[in-house]
Amino acid sequence: MDLETIREKLLEKRNQILKSLEESAKSDINEKTGVGDDADTVTDELSRETHYRLTQADRETLYLIDLALRKIDSGIYGICEECGAVIGEKRLEAIPWVRLCIDCSQNEEIVRQFQQRNEEEMIYNIIPPTLGEEEESSKNLQAD
Ligand SMILES: [Zn+2]
């Protein structure tokens, strides 16, 4: 694996993100100075939300790229942070700033999905199944 090629790839992507962040910062200023009526405010809020998420993702990638560049310098590039295995070359070519080997990233994905599902279930289970009985017994208490 040619580390110099990877470094170049990382730097190229880094510049690309910095450029797009810079441009979105410019459009932010334009939005703020522009005068819109109430109907526009809602769509503005939505686009700002999407925009925020996009820049968040960009910033995250930027962070990962910097991390990868530091790893190249320290000679630990291409090693999984979770299990220490050597990450596959094809995987690194596809995503040069990847932190985990394919196995660990799949595990992480499963954990993430599991957590997400638990959160959803928690929302649906706000009403405890015993509530009916409790109401019943509290009525009895009041009757006494
Ligand atoms: Zn791993």
Side-chain angles (χ1 to χ4, degrees):
M1 185 170 44
D2 187 4
L3 282 179
E4 276 315 304
T5 315
I6 285 172
R7 193 202 293 272
E8 267 169 39
K9 261 191 187 177
L10 287 166
L11 288 172
E12 195 184 317
K13 181 72 185 173
R14 194 176 184 276
N15 282 336
Q16 205 181 314
I17 292 173
L18 284 174
K19 219 175 181 178
S20 86
L21 282 176
E22 204 175 291
E23 263 159 36
S24 71
K26 271 184 210 158
S27 72
D28 258 5
I29 293 161
N30 289 340
E31 269 175 36
K32 272 168 198 155
T33 49
V35 184
D37 57 5
D38 285 345
D40 280 341
T41 317
V42 181
T43 34
D44 272 1
E45 288 291 316
L46 282 175
S47 70
R48 232 189 298 267
E49 174 78 22
T50 325
H51 171 82
Y52 175 76
R53 276 187 201 161
L54 279 176
T55 54
Q56 270 305 99
D58 272 350
R59 273 173 234 273
E60 216 175 290
T61 311
L62 207 59
Y63 165 77
L64 292 176
I65 288 172
D66 282 342
L67 208 68
L69 286 167
R70 267 198 299 256
K71 281 185 194 172
I72 291 177
D73 290 336
S74 333
I76 52 164
Y77 179 79
I79 292 167
C80 173
E81 287 182 17
E82 195 69 36
C83 69
V86 176
I87 301 171
E89 205 164 313
K90 273 190 185 151
R91 186 168 164 75
L92 289 172
E93 263 171 37
I95 320 161
W97 53 87
V98 76
R99 300 172 76 174
L100 301 173
C101 72
I102 195 146
D103 286 341
C104 290
S105 89
Q106 269 167 1
N107 287 342
E108 198 183 51
E109 181 68 11
I110 289 164
V111 169
R112 203 179 58 82
Q113 280 174 357
F114 181 71
Q115 280 169 345
Q116 210 167 13
R117 205 166 43 230
N118 271 4
E119 272 168 32
E120 278 165 18
E121 275 169 12
M122 271 164 68
I123 293 162
Y124 290 124
N125 289 334
I126 283 170
I127 303 161
T130 51
L131 189 66
E133 289 167 30
E134 275 168 23
E135 263 182 3
E136 206 66 31
S137 59
S138 68
K139 262 182 215 158
N140 290 342
L141 284 174
Q142 275 170 354
D144 289 334

